Amino acid sequence: MELNTASKLANPIQSEHHTFSKWTEHIELINAIIAGVLIGLGCFLESNGNQSIAIPLFILAFVIGGYAKAKEGIEETISEKTLNVELLMIFAAIGSAIIGYWTEGAILIFIFALSGALETYTMNKSQREISALMSLQPEEAWVIDHYGNERRVHISSLQIGDTILVKPGERVPADGIILSGKTNIDQSAITGESMPVEREISDEVFAGTVNGNGSITIKVTKKSTETMFQKILDLVQSAQSEKSPSQQFIEKFEGTYVKAVLALVAIMMVLPHFALGWSWNETIYRALVLMVVASPCALVASIMPATLSAISNGARNGLLFKGGVHLEQLSKTKVVVFDKTGTLTKGEPTVTDIIITDSVDHDSFYEAVLSIENQSNHPLARAIVAKIQKDFPMSIANMASVDEKSGFGISAVLHDVKWKIGKADFVGRDLADSFGDGVSGKLAKEGKTIVYVVREDQIVGLLALKDTVREDAKVALQTLQRNGIKTVMLTGDSQSTAEAISKELQIDYFIGECLPEDKVNEIKALKEKYGTVTMIGDGINDAPALAVSDVGIAMGEGTDVALETADIVLMKNELSKLTKAVTLSKKMNLIVKQNIVFSMSVIAFLICSNFIQVLDLPLGVIGHEGSTILVILNGLRLLRG
């Protein structure tokens, strides 16, 4: 505690810089809110006849609210040599002020500033996923030299062929091959396997995975820049740098729209005077009216209120959307890709079958299994202990001796009787195969892990465990399929386990034993074949696939990396929320389309009315702002239900 306090006192500048950074990250939103307050105060003063005080407030709102977007528009115009909507909005607001309509101009600035602030905030938040990934990569490793001495080095100094030591509970610092030792490795960060896998001499291990309860030495086979973990980082970064087709279309439309409006305004300032005999005052007046009515205020409002309403609706129903673009994309989904572990299944082993032979008393069997498995920390052992304690509560007996082989099984002497509990290779393959009528084979085909129980060289029973499916998974999948959406499962688990889960849930298509890059390649292939693809997962290994998919969805109880990378989060871990998200997305897109058609029709009507001189500025403002209010109210309908 004293060290932390001293550190803060010694680095007041660093602490102040951190606070300053937090403020600057939200500066656009803060400025937009300040501008909104100033506009409200200005409107109040103006309504009470204090226009001389209200106008300076409106000017201040222009400067504070419009600075960021004006700067962005100018810089983008200079760098890309093309006009943009930012400049048009600023011109329209200034034009409104020039002809005396300060309130309309200020509100225009406020709406655009607020939407820009929300967009910037979302973009900044999404960039944090890379740092979340990096925190899982070990920075140092224990290197063993030719003399057997251990020394701590940074992973960047590791060379191919180096020998490193990984102690129990540590993350593996580099990809490599085991030279000595046996252990079980939690590979969920890389492969998504639901249970730790046994690893021994000559087996491959990956950086970022977690070593179990055995020390191992590893021969490094890849540099730190080429590991599987680093590939995950690279895949996320490259996927995020790619622009979607809809984004490219919006950017192209933006430049065309602005050029068209500005060109029309320029023509209106000159042509009617010579061609139609209008006075210069009338010509300039009509050009300024055009600047106001053609500004895309209603067009902008067509999307943002509807999007925010849908996001709020989703939040109330356990759905976290990270931006409106993801809501838009979700309704176009043709294929939903599921990870298995933690997504379709609960992500933890559960005892599904207990079979006991007639050669042993049931109470003796349960007492032995409970007492012996209670000595182990293996996930399967914990699941077995939990099952017996729940269904067959009894006391745990003391044992004369216990010998556990990590990831394989455990043997013990209980009441002068020798017991063995574990996999087939541990208890003896012949004994395992002798279990009657191919029961174990049938259970294995169902994707279950078999644990055999042997007493004094005689097999007396077995327990089958399985990562059970979520209760709502089948209903969610069937709902998607009824709506014409294909369902695909990509998992790091074995092919037999994947097949069993696929049959149980009636999934359209599945692939087992998928590494992260395999999932990415499969999603790219699905995008080429079907179009828009949505991916839902919960693990670190799912991050690249979530990033490369059109819409990435994470389970709320998943890893931080998956949550950061995903576009949508199911906060309550309920797959039924996925179908609700699709429905909400379709409703939002329908309302947005209605708003866009309506707002563009109003703009076209007002422009035509202005050109034939039947529209005065007050009516133009009423029509323009009235259409804005209507599309906002239409968007707010999404708050219901």
Side-chain angles (χ1 to χ4, degrees), residues 360-526:
V360 64
D361 177 68
H362 283 210
D363 288 340
S364 299
F365 177 89
Y366 288 126
E367 181 190 30
V369 173
L370 173 63
S371 302
I372 294 170
E373 291 288 59
N374 190 59
Q375 307 302 311
S376 174
N377 287 321
H378 194 280
L380 295 181
R382 292 197 298 267
I384 292 171
V385 170
K387 174 67 173 178
I388 296 177
Q389 286 181 330
K390 178 183 178 182
D391 295 348
F392 312 99
M394 58 181 60
S395 59
I396 297 173
N398 295 321
M399 283 158 290
S401 65
V402 177
D403 181 24
E404 180 178 7
K405 285 191 176 181
S406 177
F408 291 89
I410 186 170
S411 59
V413 176
L414 178 66
H415 304 318
D416 296 326
V417 177
K418 185 177 180 181
W419 294 80
K420 274 188 174 184
I421 304 175
K423 295 188 176 181
D425 291 335
F426 178 74
V427 301
R429 177 63 65 177
D430 293 339
L431 281 174
D433 291 342
S434 68
F435 200 86
D437 300 328
V439 173
S440 58
K442 179 183 177 182
L443 293 172
K445 287 182 180 179
E446 295 173 357
K448 298 176 181 178
T449 301
I450 312 300
V451 175
Y452 297 90
V453 181
V454 172
R455 184 186 68 175
E456 295 289 2
D457 297 326
Q458 180 184 8
I459 191 162
V460 294
L462 62 77
L463 301 97
L465 298 94
K466 186 179 180 182
D467 186 9
T468 55
V469 301
R470 295 183 181 276
E471 289 79 1
D472 58 347
K474 193 167 187 177
V475 175
L477 288 165
Q478 289 175 344
T479 303
L480 291 172
Q481 290 166 341
R482 282 198 300 269
N483 284 278
I485 298 174
K486 289 192 173 295
T487 56
V488 177
M489 181 178 71
L490 303 178
T491 176
D493 270 349
S494 67
Q495 197 72 9
S496 60
T497 300
E499 184 177 2
I501 295 293
S502 178
K503 286 182 178 179
E504 184 175 353
L505 294 175
Q506 298 179 349
I507 292 173
D508 295 323
Y509 175 65
F510 74 92
I511 297 180
E513 301 176 6
C514 280
L515 291 173
E517 56 188 316
D518 298 326
K519 291 185 178 182
V520 169
N521 292 333
E522 286 295 330
I523 287 178
K524 287 182 177 179
L526 288 169

Side-chain angles (χ1 to χ4, degrees), residues 318-322 326-327 329-331 333 335-339 341-344 480 485 523 533-539 542-559 561-583 585:
L319 294 165
L320 175 61
F321 297 97
K322 293 187 178 180
H326 314 307
L327 261 169
Q329 284 287 87
L330 188 59
S331 68
T333 294
V335 180
V336 176
V337 178
F338 294 86
D339 170 52
T341 306
T343 303
L344 291 173
L480 291 172
I485 298 174
I523 287 178
V533 173
T534 294
M535 165 72 186
I536 177 167
D538 74 321
D542 299 321
L546 290 170
V548 81
S549 60
D550 296 294
V551 181
I553 303 178
M555 303 295 280
E557 295 175 4
T559 63
V561 176
L563 299 181
E564 289 288 346
T565 306
D567 306 311
I568 303 170
V569 179
L570 306 184
M571 294 185 289
K572 297 180 181 179
N573 263 35
E574 298 175 5
L575 282 176
S576 59
K577 303 297 183 185
L578 174 60
T579 56
K580 292 183 179 180
V582 173
T583 301
S585 173

Side-chain angles (χ1 to χ4, degrees), residues 215-287:
S215 292
I216 53 175
T217 59
I218 299 171
K219 178 183 177 182
V220 177
T221 57
K222 294 179 183 176
K223 292 184 178 180
S224 60
T225 56
E226 301 172 352
T227 63
M228 181 67 69
F229 198 90
Q230 187 60 44
K231 286 181 180 179
I232 294 177
L233 281 172
D234 295 339
L235 287 168
V236 172
Q237 288 173 317
S238 70
Q240 292 221 325
S241 65
E242 297 175 3
K243 291 183 178 179
S244 66
S246 59
Q247 180 65 31
Q248 294 172 3
F249 172 78
I250 290 172
E251 291 178 358
K252 183 178 179 180
F253 173 77
E254 175 184 343
T256 304
Y257 182 86
V258 172
K259 290 174 183 176
V261 170
L262 290 178
L264 192 57
V265 169
I267 293 171
M268 279 288 291
M269 282 192 169
V270 179
L271 185 62
H273 173 72
F274 296 102
L276 302 177
W278 292 0
S279 67
W280 279 113
N281 286 339
E282 179 71 10
T283 301
I284 294 174
Y285 178 80
R286 290 297 167 189

